[in-house]
Each structure stands twice: as structure tokens, then as C-alpha cells.
Amino acid sequence: MTTSDLNKTPHDVLDQVFGYSNFRLSQEEVISHVLRGEDCLVLMPTGAGKSLCYQVPALCLDGLSIVVSPLIALMADQVQALRAAGVHAAALNSSMPSEEQGQVMAAARRGELKLLYLAPERLLLEGTKEFLRTLPISLLAVDEAHCVSAWGHDFRPEYLRISEIRDLLGPVPCIALTATADEPTRKEIIEKLRLRGAHSFVTGFDRPNIQYRIALKDRGREQLLSFLKAEHPRDAGIVYCISRKSVEQTAAFLKGNGFHALPYHAGLPAEERNANQRRFLDEEGVVVVATIAFGMGIDKSNVRFVAHLDLPKSIEAYYQETGRAGRDGLASTAWMVYGLNDIARQRMMIEQSDASDDKKSLEHRKLNALLGLCETSSCRRAVLLNYFGGEAAETCGNCDTCLVPVQTWEGTVEAQQALSCVYRTGERFGVQYLTEVLRGETSERMERLGHDKLKVFGLGTSHSKDEWTSIFRQLVASGHATVLLDSYGGLALTEKSRSVLKGQTPVWFRSDVLAPRSKKKRPSSGTSLNTQFTSKENELWETLRSTRLKLAKASHVPPYVIFHDATLKEMTQLKPRTLDELRQVSGVGDKKLERYGREFLEAIETVLSTSD
Ligand code: ADP
Ligand code: ZN
């Protein structure tokens, strides 16, 4: 930025630098607030556009803006994206060669930088403080501000000392940003960062472009394959598995079926792990199959799906992991399959950990909340938003239960029969055996144990094996029965079983629909971007993607730094033929038009001038 750019309005910056025509959500309010010189806390979900809340003011204000950010990878991504848009931004962190650090500092001294990203530990070095004292600083932005919370999962002790920098800088406005902070954490942020006026901007947690779907696990990998083939054949996405072994197997399986799938888990050599992460970021259509070790600091905007082959630990984990889909605001899918075994395994993992009893019981409760989400017959989004204390409409129209309403049935009698069968066989058998007893399918073992003489023997012939399996799973999920932790899936009664057995609590079940058998009612998701395109547009879309990839390789940046998917999608639909028309496309600012405009126009010309 040169001096002639100073005193631009936020709208000018939004349009000319970022190529967007409208602010989103509360961006504009936040920006005006900051430009008035006031502090604030901004709470917005991932992908909502927090970065612009400080980047736009930074470009409107005179002087340099400091951004504190905890992850070096994230910092590098931001700087890259800003530079591609022609903004003079840089980062200072310990992973850089000292010569490069010297260059950045020199550029800052010469007044050539608008944004400087710093890791918190760096900020607190005496040398850095001295250096900052000499600069005309206009704004302090603290990203991932929840890191100040000692109770949170991302605690960074250095964040507690950011207030020292505030003393040093004097009355410059401070903007703190985060996507995850409950009420106590928000208070903590305001206190620890000493935000004057304690003003918060809170935007809802909803991610309307993500379609939530949870199905019963039948043959998980096959289900995943059908889902990917049908809806995301060439898209980038993440598949989460619980163990390293299933990561390896699933990656190999997808690869064998023509997908560009790569494994990622803590057991892989660091070079391989980093290389796979790099390819996910830099190439198109890569599917990473990973344990939860993957994702923190992944800022890829066009992740089109997040699939869970195994159950996560909590709604928080589920929401954080699925939240990596669709940062660009385009339609994306959060897909999960789960079954009784997942519940047993998660319970076992909690019990076998070294955590204190209090912590274990908290973790069991968190798992219960997640099971409630899995088994709900009402809107998934409503359950999620209510969990985070937000308000939600009763139906969202973009989750499986809204798209294909779940049938429920009153099954108090069946619940009693099932629980009584658990009780009378001694609270140690698994679902398969219990179902055999209920259906009167005798065996040598059953006769030996005398279970063919029980009152419950043969009581349940009107339900199929699958139906009983579903009943038992739902009883476990709702806490009316529990999986024994020291056996192979044996069930036992719980405190809550009694009121069902006594007939005091009516029990309702969902009618399970096994995915492969319910073809006729598949939700029409429109998730795959290409479904809305004509065949010509499909060709154009693919050509634009390869143009982007070529440019990205040439300048050693990930493709989305050139243009986001949303921008290419709009190009495909608007089919601009001149630079002026191209400039109208959302995401095309002045600098990017100048740098990449011609190449994209040529690509469009080539496709449109050939006949079908
Ligand atoms: P967050 O930090 O909240 O996760 P980002 O700041 O990375 O989100 O923004 C997510 C995406 O939304 C980015 O691709 C960004 O360019 C885009 N975006 C942000 N604000 C706008 C806007 N006003 N109009 C269009 N796109 C926007
Ligand atoms: Zn819904």
C-alpha cells in the first residue's frame, strides 16, 4: 500500500483489495467500531469471515497493524493470501531464517508494511518490544483469543502477557477474535486482554452451508464409497477414523477405488505426514484419511465434505471437525455413520484413560450428548445449536432428519422385553445372543444355560433381527442400558432401566433406515457443485480449476490463494469475456485482476469458442 491508498473507506478496501461487494454478518459493525478506536471481542463461527474484521481496518488506517496468531502455519497462509491480493503483509516467527526476519523488520521500519503477524512468544521478547516501540502502530488484533483461557483446550500461557504489549502501545484499539468461546471464556478474554468497554460482537454458530447427515453403520467403508461416488467424486475432503490401522486400511481402500486418498496419523514419519498435508492443501481433490491428529490449523477453504467413519468423543469435537468443511460458504456435507460398537469403544476408551473420576464422568456425559444427536428424530442443526446455547429454528431444511423425516414408533413393550431379557440372562450377553433369545432361536448353548426356559424366550418373533439390533442400540444410546466395559459387548441395566421396566416411562424409537435400501428417498443435496452446471459449464469449471492449479504451482502457493472455489463457480456461471466483467466476479480485486485476469479470460474464451 502506498500513501495514496490511505483514508480509503471500508467499502473501497473490500471491493478493490478483496473483490467482494458486500460485508457479511456483523463485519461492517465491527470494522466501524474498530475504526472509532474502540476495543472489542468478535465471536464468529469458522468460515464466517473474522479475518476481514481486522484486515480491512488495517488497510484503512495509517501505520502498521499487529496481528497475534498462535499457529505458524495459519500465519503463513494468511500472509500468502494477503500478498496475492497485493497487500504488504509479513510474519515474524522463530521458524524463519534470521536474515529474513531482519528483512521483515527493516521493511516495517521503512513503513512499507501494513500488517505484521507475530507469534505470541515472539511478541514478548525484549527485542521485539523495543522494536515495536519505535513503530507507528495503529491496531492490535489477537486471533484465536480463546487461547488466553487456562481452562480451554488450546491454552497458551504467553497469551496472558499480551496485556503488557497493550501498555507499551498506548491507546491503540485491540480486537480479539475467536470461533469458540462459551460465556465464561468470553469474560476471561475481556479481562485478560483488558478490553475497554467490554464490547462483544457475537454471531450465531450456525453453518448453514453444511448439510449434516448421520446414518447407521452397516458396512462403513462401502457406505463411504457410495457416498463419495454419488456426491463428491472429485472433491477435497477429510475422512476421520478412530485408529491408525483403520486410517491405513480406509486410505488404501479409497485409493483402490480410484480416489486420490492419503493417510495422516501420528504414527507416520513426520516427512510423510507433512508431505500429505501439503498435497491436501496444494492439489485439487485430495481426500485425507486421518485420525483427529489432522486438522488444527488447516485453513483450506474448499473442503467439500468431512466424513466420520467412527464416532468422535463429543459434540464439541464433532462440530470442530465438521466445521472444517465449507469455509468458503459453498454447499458441503458432514457425513457420519455409527453403530453400537462405536458406543462401546468410546466408553472403553474413557474408562481406560488415566483421567480422574470426575473427568471420566464428564466425558461420559459428553458422549451421551453426542449420542443424543445421533439418535434424534428432530433437526440435527437444532440439536447442535441448542447444545451451544444458541437459538435455532425448529427445522433447518438442510440436515437428513429435515430432508427425510424420521418415522418414530412407540415401543415401550419392546423396550421392556429387551431389558427384561438383559436382566434374566444375567446382564452379560451381547445383542446377538439377546436377540436370539427374544426370537426363540435356540442353540445348544442356550439350552445348556437354560435360557430357552425363560419367560422372555420367543417373545419377540414379530420383530426382525435388524429391528432388535436397532432397539438395543437405541436403549444403550439413551442410557436405558449400558455396554459392559470388561466384556465383548455384553449389556447391563442402568438406573434408568427401572422406570421402563415398571412401565413408568414410555419409550419411543426411530425406525432405522439402512442407507442402501432406501434409495428412493435419498436427500437431494445439491452438494456436489457440478450438479447445477450444464455440461459446457462443467467443462469450463474443470478448465478454470486447471488454470488455477497451473498459476498456483508457478507461484508456489495453494490454489485457493489464487481464487476460492466460490469465485471460480461464479466465473463459470457469469462467463465474463472482458476484464471489466471479470472484475465484477466476487473475489476478484484489483491486484488479482491484474495478475491473473488475462489467463482466466483466455481459458474462458477457449472453452466457449469450441462447439459442443
Ligand atoms: P474465519 O477466520 O472466520 O474462519 P475467514 O476470514 O478465513 O473466516 O473467511 C472465510 C472465507 O470467507 C474467506 O474465503 C473469505 O475471503 C470469505 N469472506 C469473508 N468475508 C467476505 C465477504 N464480505 N464477502 C465474500 N466473502 C467473504
Ligand atoms: Zn435440520
Side-chain angles (χ1 to χ4, degrees):
M1 290 277 132
T2 59
T3 36
S4 63
D5 292 319
L6 294 176
N7 306 319
K8 281 191 171 175
T9 67
H11 257 111
D12 291 341
V13 171
L14 184 72
D15 174 46
Q16 294 163 10
V17 179
F18 298 97
Y20 299 134
S21 42
N22 297 102
F23 282 110
R24 276 188 193 158
L25 302 162
S26 46
Q27 279 175 338
E28 196 164 15
E29 273 177 276
V30 173
I31 291 166
S32 326
H33 189 87
V34 172
L35 288 177
R36 279 198 304 274
E38 294 176 53
D39 295 348
C40 62
L41 167 63
V42 175
L43 195 74
M44 274 187 196
T46 306
K50 281 184 290 300
S51 322
L52 287 194
C53 292
Y54 60 85
Q55 289 169 351
V56 170
L59 298 181
C60 294
L61 290 165
D62 235 330
L64 175 69
S65 294
I66 300 293
V67 185
V68 183
S69 173
L71 288 166
I72 290 174
L74 220 64
M75 223 186 273
D77 270 3
Q78 294 260 3
V79 169
Q80 239 175 14
L82 284 168
R83 285 193 181 156
V87 175
H88 294 168
L92 267 186
N93 62 58
S94 46
S95 76
M96 293 161 51
S98 58
E99 195 189 350
E100 199 183 332
Q101 297 188 28
Q103 285 164 1
V104 169
M105 289 166 83
R109 281 201 194 92
R110 289 196 299 270
E112 289 169 7
L113 285 183
K114 289 306 295 176
L115 283 123
L116 180 62
Y117 285 75
L118 288 168
E121 42 282 348
R122 177 81 202 199
L123 185 65
L124 298 165
L125 295 179
E126 277 315 312
T128 311
K129 287 183 174 175
E130 271 316 304
F131 162 66
L132 292 179
R133 218 192 293 272
T134 63
L135 299 173
I137 309 254
S138 50
L139 173 68
L140 175 66
V142 181
D143 207 2
E144 312 288 348
H146 61 277
C147 293
V148 299
S149 168
W151 302 101
H153 44 68
D154 293 331
F155 179 50
R156 299 282 295 247
E158 307 88 13
Y159 262 62
L160 294 174
R161 294 180 50 202
I162 291 177
S163 57
E164 293 173 22
I165 299 301
R166 301 216 57 192
D167 294 335
L168 184 106
L169 297 181
V172 307
C174 175
I175 171 173
L177 310 104
T178 175
T180 45
D182 53 13
E183 188 56 42
T185 310
R186 284 179 227 171
K187 284 214 182 91
E188 221 179 330
I189 295 172
I190 289 172
E191 214 175 281
K192 303 264 169 68
L193 295 180
R194 287 202 258 124
L195 299 181
R196 294 157 301 178
H199 199 94
S200 302
F201 293 92
V202 180
T203 314
F205 275 90
D206 192 12
R207 303 285 313 277
N209 60 314
I210 298 183
Q211 182 176 92
Y212 297 99
R213 290 173 23 204
I214 303 176
L216 201 60
K217 197 188 284 184
D218 193 5
R219 289 150 296 125
R221 268 175 215 146
E222 295 290 338
Q223 286 171 287
L224 175 69
L225 184 63
S226 324
F227 161 66
L228 294 185
K229 276 186 173 164
E231 301 183 38
H232 297 285
R234 277 194 298 268
D235 291 335
I238 307 174
V239 177
Y240 284 110
C241 300
I242 202 163
S243 68
R244 294 173 186 184
K245 194 168 138 219
S246 61
V247 163
E248 297 282 355
Q249 289 171 344
T250 307
F253 171 76
L254 289 178
K255 213 166 158 193
N257 281 283
F259 283 85
H260 190 352
L262 299 170
Y264 187 102
H265 59 70
L268 289 175
E271 309 87 69
E272 185 177 348
R273 231 172 35 221
N274 293 340
N276 289 354
Q277 170 164 339
R278 217 46 261 173
R279 289 180 70 181
F280 179 67
L281 295 174
D282 292 350
E283 295 174 23
E284 303 272 16
V286 175
V287 177
V288 163
V289 184
T291 55
I292 49 168
F294 183 76
M296 177 76 169
I298 295 292
D299 209 4
K300 187 178 171 73
S301 68
N302 62 341
V303 176
R304 289 273 71 81
F305 67 89
V306 170
H308 281 95
L309 265 186
D310 296 302
L311 201 62
K313 281 180 0 192
S314 62
I315 288 189
E316 282 93 338
Y318 172 78
Y319 209 58
Q320 190 170 46
E321 284 154 20
T322 56
R324 292 178 182 133
R327 276 167 166 271
D328 54 11
L330 298 180
S332 310
T333 322
W335 181 95
M336 177 158 83
V337 285
Y338 102 110
L340 184 60
N341 288 344
D342 290 276
I343 309 178
R345 185 153 45 177
Q346 285 291 354
R347 294 253 186 261
M348 190 93 83
M349 281 167 56
I350 297 173
E351 278 311 309
Q352 288 172 351
S353 76
D354 310 325
S356 67
D357 285 352
D358 280 355
K359 182 104 198 287
K360 283 182 183 170
S361 108
L362 178 73
E363 288 184 352
H364 282 298
R365 270 180 282 139
K366 291 200 162 185
L367 179 59
N368 291 345
L370 178 66
L371 296 176
L373 171 74
C374 294
E375 297 290 352
T376 186
S377 52
S378 49
C379 173
R380 308 259 191 222
R381 193 179 309 274
V383 173
L384 286 167
L385 297 179
N386 288 331
Y387 181 83
F388 291 112
E391 298 197 354
E394 218 162 282
T395 55
C396 75
N398 194 26
C399 71
D400 52 359
T401 49
C402 283
L403 291 165
V404 184
V406 177
Q407 308 291 329
T408 55
W409 56 284
E410 211 259 22
T412 310
V413 171
E414 283 81 355
Q416 287 171 335
Q417 292 172 340
L419 294 179
S420 150
C421 185
V422 169
Y423 179 68
R424 289 179 191 281
T425 52
E427 303 190 54
R428 59 198 176 94
F429 290 95
V431 170
Q432 195 183 340
Y433 184 82
L434 294 168
T435 300
E436 284 165 11
V437 173
L438 283 163
R439 288 175 42 83
E441 293 165 7
T442 188
S443 61
E444 194 242 318
R445 177 177 175 220
M446 205 180 288
E447 281 168 20
R448 182 158 38 81
L449 294 166
H451 291 158
D452 57 338
K453 307 279 181 317
L454 295 175
K455 255 167 68 184
V456 289
F457 180 80
L459 263 188
T461 46
S462 55
H463 289 288
S464 69
K465 244 171 89 177
D466 281 351
E467 282 163 350
W468 280 115
T469 307
S470 160
I471 289 169
F472 279 113
R473 186 197 75 245
Q474 295 186 58
L475 287 170
V476 171
S478 59
H480 287 103
T482 184
V483 183
L484 291 170
L485 296 171
D486 51 359
S487 77
Y488 293 95
L491 298 194
L493 298 187
T494 66
E495 213 31 54
K496 278 172 93 178
S497 314
R498 195 172 313 158
S499 65
V500 173
L501 284 167
K502 284 190 184 156
Q504 291 162 342
T505 318
V507 181
W508 284 79
F509 293 109
R510 299 169 51 111
S511 306
D512 282 339
V513 192
L514 290 176
R517 294 175 209 159
S518 64
K519 284 231 166 65
K520 47 186 191 313
K521 272 190 146 185
R522 148 184 299 296
S524 68
S525 62
T527 293
S528 187
L529 289 172
N530 312 5
T531 51
Q532 306 129 23
F533 290 163
T534 64
S535 66
K536 195 77 190 171
E537 283 172 340
N538 259 325
E539 188 191 335
L540 181 53
W541 165 254
E542 292 300 338
T543 308
L544 293 176
R545 292 219 303 177
S546 57
T547 304
R548 173 174 68 176
L549 191 59
K550 199 177 74 201
L551 290 169
K553 287 210 164 122
S555 36
H556 307 286
V557 295
Y560 56 84
V561 167
I562 309 281
F563 286 126
H564 288 298
D565 274 9
T567 302
L568 293 198
K569 187 183 171 201
E570 207 175 302
M571 260 184 229
T572 306
Q573 284 162 339
L574 295 180
K575 305 176 189 62
R577 306 297 278 265
T578 64
L579 284 170
D580 279 347
E581 282 173 14
L582 184 60
R583 178 67 175 76
Q584 303 311 307
V585 173
S586 180
V588 185
D590 288 341
K591 249 318 179 287
K592 289 194 178 177
L593 185 75
E594 189 187 308
R595 281 188 194 160
Y596 314 122
R598 299 225 164 269
E599 307 243 11
F600 280 90
L601 284 180
E602 271 167 33
I604 295 169
E605 205 55 52
T606 315
V607 174
L608 296 188
S609 60
T610 57
S611 52
D612 290 296

